[in-house]
């Protein structure tokens, strides 16, 4: 099983990759880990005429901390995120999620930037970065820009990235001492993708929930923040009745996916249950 | 649908395969698994699903397990690859292979080259994995015969053999 023929270009630098994107505006495509793009090309769902291989650009790889800010290069693999002591300390939610992405071979090759730029509705990281309120950094012909994660996911396989832009890194704030987080997922057994995945980050102050952010993937055509859940939690007691009542809002106003993997009402039920579980674990971690 | 002409573009790929430098000139769309099987004749690497699910095509790139149907040959330029043929010298069994033999860790054998290489990578990182860690590390290798029980036992046995210093030995 092979893709349609294409031309292969190995980018020597980020600038080189941007030039190549401009040279092939209609059918140029960036290749990172290739674990979403190559299967799509083999199934003939995608047929770019030019692949621009950025996978060797080491400047796009690695995890750095500068005070309270953590920057993760776009080409950092899931395995590197899973194994990162820096992240386990500064943002344990990311290694926890990376641990359940795909399988070992996929984690060795797939990249966080690739996942976000591809924006598969069932990928794990979109829920995570929404709950972390991350910033996406992209570079294009007119320079670098920062995209708040709330503006990034726009629809099925669609993001705020422009065709001539390249995602270079993800920025997050290190977790506060009174924060707790959890990722809960019902995985499709064959693919490992999320039927529903819930990421929750809460902070608890003086016995009340001070802030709550909940990202949900798999349920709709793109990942979203469950603002109804967040509003119900803010200022609430971190007890079981409050968490259950808040989790009931997980899919409010959402057009749920209804497909071979799961009917819409089942997805909604799973989303509410997993939201409750994610909140329970996050609160326990915040107060433990 | 956009029409695409077959191009004559060819790419030179050079890689160290099982300790030997190999090179080939391939179409850009050639997958690593095809490079290994069709150009280099290393047919121990199997193709199964070809969509990245089954793990039959698993090889090691720079020591890490990857699915060779999910990587372009062009992307393997300059890397170090280990296939099942390189696990032990010709005519010998690696302690991991011996463990799978003794513990009946295979039946039809189709998935086995990939399982063995995933096991090799696991044991390099984690020489004493528990059952949960073994199952997690082998999640990307589907076996339709064994039910995995004997595979887990085989990996545990392989860990013990490597820990006591077993070396490849004649079959």
């Amino acid at each position: 099983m092979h893709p349609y023929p294409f031309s292969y270009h190995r980018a020597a630098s980020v600038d080189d990759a941007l030039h190549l994107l401009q040279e092939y505006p209609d059918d140029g495509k960036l290749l990172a880990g290739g674990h979403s793009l190559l299967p799509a090309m083999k199934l003939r769902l995608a047929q770019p005429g030019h692949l621009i291989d950025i996978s060797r650009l080491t400047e796009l790889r690695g995890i750095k901390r500068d005070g309270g800010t953590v920057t993760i290069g776009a080409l950092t693999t899931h395995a590197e995120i899973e194994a990162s002591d820096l992240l386990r300390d500064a943002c344990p939610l990311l290694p926890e999620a990376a641990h359940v992405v795909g399988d070992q071979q996929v984690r060795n090759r797939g990249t966080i930037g690739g996942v976000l730029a591809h924006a598969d509705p069932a990928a794990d990281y979109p829920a995570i970065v929404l709950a972390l309120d991350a910033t996406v950094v992209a570079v294009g012909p007119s320079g670098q820009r920062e995209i708040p994660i709330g503006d990034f996911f726009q629809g099925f396989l669609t993001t705020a990235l422009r065709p001539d832009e390249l995602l270079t890194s993800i920025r997050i704030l290190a977790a506060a001492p009174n924060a707790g987080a959890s990722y809960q997922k019902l995985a499709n057994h064959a693919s490992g993708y999320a039927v529903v995945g819930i990421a929750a980050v809460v902070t608890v102050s003086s016995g009340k929930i001070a802030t709550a952010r909940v990202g949900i993937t798999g349920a709709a055509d793109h990942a979203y923040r469950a603002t109804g859940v967040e509003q119900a939690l803010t200022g609430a007691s971190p007890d079981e009745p409050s968490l259950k009542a808040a989790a009931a809002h997980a899919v409010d106003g959402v057009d749920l996916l209804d497909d071979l993997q799961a009917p819409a009402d089942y997805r909604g039920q799973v989303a509410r249950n997993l939201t409750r579980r994610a909140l329970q674990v996050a609160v326990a971690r915040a107060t433990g | 649908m956009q029409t695409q002409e077959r191009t004559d573009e060819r790419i030179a790929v050079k890689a160290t395969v099982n300790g030997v430098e190999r090179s080939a000139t391939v179409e850009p769309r050639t997958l690593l698994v095809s490079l290994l099987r069709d150009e280099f004749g290393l047919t121990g690497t199997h193709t199964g699903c070809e969509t990245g699910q089954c793990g039959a095509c698993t090889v090691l790139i720079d020591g890490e397990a990857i699915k060779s149907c999910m990587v372009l040959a062009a992307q393997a330029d300059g890397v170090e690859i280990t296939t099942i043929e390189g696990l032990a010298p010709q005519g010998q069994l690696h302690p991991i292979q011996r463990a799978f033999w003794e513990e009946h860790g295979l039946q039809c054998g189709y998935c086995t080259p990939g399982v063995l290489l995933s096991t090799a990578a696991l044991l390099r990182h984690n020489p004493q994995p528990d059952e949960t860690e073994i199952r997690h590390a082998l999640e990307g290798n589907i076996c339709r015969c064994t039910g995995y029980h004997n595979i887990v036992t085989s990996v545990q046995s392989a860990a013990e053999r490597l820990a006591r210093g077993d070396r490849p030995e004649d079959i």
Side-chain angles (χ1 to χ4, degrees):
Chain A
M1 196 191 287
H2 285 82
Y4 277 110
F6 55 83
S7 289
Y8 174 85
H9 311 267
R10 187 178 296 155
S13 64
V14 170
D15 277 349
D16 190 26
L18 292 177
H19 285 134
L20 286 162
L21 276 177
Q22 280 183 292
E23 201 170 322
Y24 306 108
D26 298 326
D27 62 348
K29 196 97 178 126
L30 296 171
L31 174 68
H35 274 45
S36 298
L37 181 56
L38 290 178
M41 289 170 65
K42 287 202 268 185
L43 295 168
R44 311 287 167 115
L45 299 171
Q47 38 182 304
H50 298 269
L51 276 196
I52 302 160
D53 184 0
I54 57 169
S55 62
R56 291 171 193 243
L57 301 181
T58 48
E59 65 263 44
L60 296 180
R61 197 162 180 166
I63 304 162
K64 286 192 290 272
R65 181 173 185 166
D66 183 9
T69 305
V70 178
T71 304
I72 304 168
L75 291 181
T76 308
T77 64
H78 314 317
E80 288 163 346
I81 288 171
E82 184 183 11
S84 167
D85 291 332
L86 190 163
L87 284 177
R88 213 164 296 144
D89 177 50
C91 180
L93 182 60
L94 264 169
E96 180 183 337
H99 185 70
V100 297
V101 171
D103 53 51
Q104 188 60 55
Q105 294 94 316
V106 171
R107 289 191 289 275
N108 286 340
R109 200 76 194 168
T111 69
I112 186 167
V115 167
L116 297 180
H118 183 58
D120 190 298
D124 297 296
Y125 288 144
I128 307 298
V129 292
L130 282 166
L132 293 172
D133 202 20
T135 302
V136 173
V137 183
V139 63
S142 48
Q144 180 172 302
R145 73 177 174 123
E146 297 178 3
I147 308 167
I149 200 67
D151 299 336
F152 187 74
F153 301 109
Q154 299 191 335
F156 180 72
L157 303 181
T158 306
T159 70
L161 286 170
R162 299 183 190 118
D164 57 0
E165 281 184 321
L166 187 157
L167 193 165
T168 54
S169 66
I170 320 299
R171 243 184 5 235
I172 51 173
L173 293 178
N178 62 337
S182 172
Y183 182 58
Q184 300 288 332
K185 149 179 171 177
L186 174 69
N188 177 292
H189 279 289
S191 69
Y193 275 102
V195 177
V196 175
I198 313 286
V201 177
V202 300
T203 57
V204 179
S205 298
S206 315
K208 299 279 181 201
I209 294 175
T211 61
R213 288 192 303 266
V214 176
I216 299 189
T217 191
D221 71 348
H222 66 288
Y224 64 93
R225 283 265 295 268
T227 48
V229 178
E230 297 174 359
Q231 281 159 15
L233 287 171
T234 307
S237 298
D239 54 26
E240 184 52 33
S242 307
L243 303 187
K244 187 180 177 188
H249 297 290
V251 298
D252 285 2
V254 173
D255 190 8
L256 290 166
L257 289 178
D258 188 301
D259 57 25
L260 278 174
Q261 291 195 61
D265 58 347
Y266 177 76
R267 268 198 168 86
Q269 189 60 45
V270 171
R272 286 185 289 271
N273 289 347
L274 290 186
T275 298
R276 184 174 159 196
R277 200 176 299 166
L279 291 172
Q280 288 168 340
V281 176
V283 163
R285 287 175 175 170
T287 52
Chain B
M1 192 166 83
Q2 117 200 46
T3 42
Q4 273 166 357
E5 296 293 319
R6 237 174 188 286
T7 67
D8 291 332
E9 186 179 328
R10 292 288 183 276
I11 294 172
V13 182
K14 203 186 278 185
T16 305
V17 184
N18 302 329
V20 179
E21 191 158 291
R22 308 286 294 261
S23 59
T25 305
V26 298
E27 261 192 278
R29 62 174 171 163
T30 305
L31 302 166
L32 176 57
V33 65
S34 310
L35 176 77
L36 295 170
R37 289 177 57 85
D38 303 339
E39 300 289 333
F40 298 158
L42 297 169
T43 52
T45 304
H46 293 163
T47 51
C49 69
E50 298 191 65
T51 52
Q53 314 262 337
C54 81
C57 65
T58 298
V59 301
L60 305 183
I61 286 190
D62 299 331
E64 303 296 345
I66 62 99
K67 293 172 183 170
S68 60
C69 81
M70 299 275 278
V71 175
L72 296 176
Q75 291 181 290
D77 187 36
V79 305
E80 202 158 298
I81 298 167
T82 304
T83 70
I84 191 63
E85 290 89 345
L87 197 57
Q90 179 74 27
Q92 296 194 323
L93 284 184
H94 188 276
I96 297 173
Q97 291 169 309
R98 176 64 72 184
F100 274 72
W101 176 317
E102 299 289 346
E103 301 297 333
H104 306 285
L106 61 141
Q107 287 177 30
C108 86
Y110 199 83
C111 71
T112 309
V115 173
L116 294 174
L117 290 166
S118 286
T119 302
L122 165 66
L123 295 179
R124 191 170 62 82
H125 286 293
N126 181 358
Q128 300 291 329
D130 62 27
E131 181 179 341
T132 305
E133 290 167 331
I134 292 169
R135 288 183 182 274
H136 185 66
L138 295 183
E139 221 173 8
N141 294 85
I142 292 176
C143 172
R144 296 280 90 135
C145 300
T146 62
Y148 303 102
H149 180 82
N150 285 1
I151 290 181
V152 172
T153 311
S154 301
V155 176
Q156 287 165 333
S157 166
E160 286 164 21
R161 288 162 193 270
L162 290 170
R164 70 178 185 225
D166 279 15
R167 310 289 308 159
E169 54 189 55
D170 291 345
I171 294 170

